[in-house]
Amino acid sequence: QGPGAMKFQRQHMDSNSRPNPNSNYCDQMMKKRKMTVGACKPLNTFVHEPLKDVEDICIQRNIRCKNGQNNCHKSKSSMRVTDCRLTNGSRYPNCKYHTSPTKRQITVACVGNPYVPVHLDG
Ligand code: ADP
């Protein structure tokens, strides 16, 4: 498993938690998953679906990513996700997040062989 795939799983996969987390979810998870090291990552999404289902998004047809590359793929079905957004008053190292559970189709960028997700594009 390559470093990109491992980083994707660390930053974006939380298969085993319920999609309706408490309001502390993002504060705890952003810290636990090392996204508050050196700086508070401003925006991050966790996906509450099996890894296999997220990896299978790479089989969908290619679409344009936000950075102009064409290695993005959008999920056919909507997925349970939680959006974590840094609060306005939050100052490093005290990273405080808004926790917003929702369901939507997600877009991932995939690379490599095996061709697996390395970036969440939306
Ligand atoms: P995320 O964007 O999922 O929060 P990072 O920005 O930390 O995660 O890492 C994304 C990684 O994916 C980078 O190493 C980047 O080079 C790689 N990557 C591959 N394809 C793309 C793409 N189309 N758009 C953005 N990043 C991509």
Side-chain angles (χ1 to χ4, degrees):
Q1 206 174 29
M6 289 181 63
K7 187 179 185 189
F8 178 88
Q9 291 181 37
R10 172 172 59 82
Q11 294 198 127
H12 300 299
M13 292 305 302
D14 188 22
S15 304
N16 295 323
S17 107
R18 296 290 88 226
N20 198 358
N22 62 52
S23 59
N24 296 323
Y25 174 83
C26 286
D27 290 350
Q28 294 169 351
M29 283 294 286
M30 293 299 286
K31 182 165 191 206
K32 181 178 172 193
R33 298 296 183 87
K34 308 270 189 281
M35 285 175 275
T36 60
V37 177
C40 310
K41 186 175 183 181
L43 199 63
N44 188 70
T45 295
F46 291 100
V47 183
H48 311 290
E49 301 289 350
L51 178 60
K52 171 81 165 65
D53 293 3
V54 176
E55 289 178 337
D56 280 348
I57 300 170
C58 296
I59 300 165
Q60 300 298 318
R61 71 180 178 84
N62 286 75
I63 59 170
R64 177 76 56 92
C65 311
K66 285 172 181 163
N67 74 352
Q69 285 184 258
N70 283 303
N71 62 326
C72 278
H73 306 266
K74 187 176 187 172
S75 65
K76 265 198 294 193
S77 48
S78 58
M79 296 193 153
R80 293 167 296 183
V81 301
T82 300
D83 296 319
C84 299
R85 184 172 49 83
L86 196 62
T87 63
N88 274 333
S90 184
R91 290 291 174 269
Y92 179 81
N94 194 15
C95 309
K96 290 284 180 191
Y97 289 89
H98 296 287
T99 295
S100 315
T102 182
K103 282 192 89 173
R104 66 162 176 272
Q105 291 169 278
I106 64 168
T107 299
V108 296
C110 306
V111 301
N113 180 16
Y115 191 65
V116 290
V118 295
H119 156 75
L120 192 62
D121 207 49

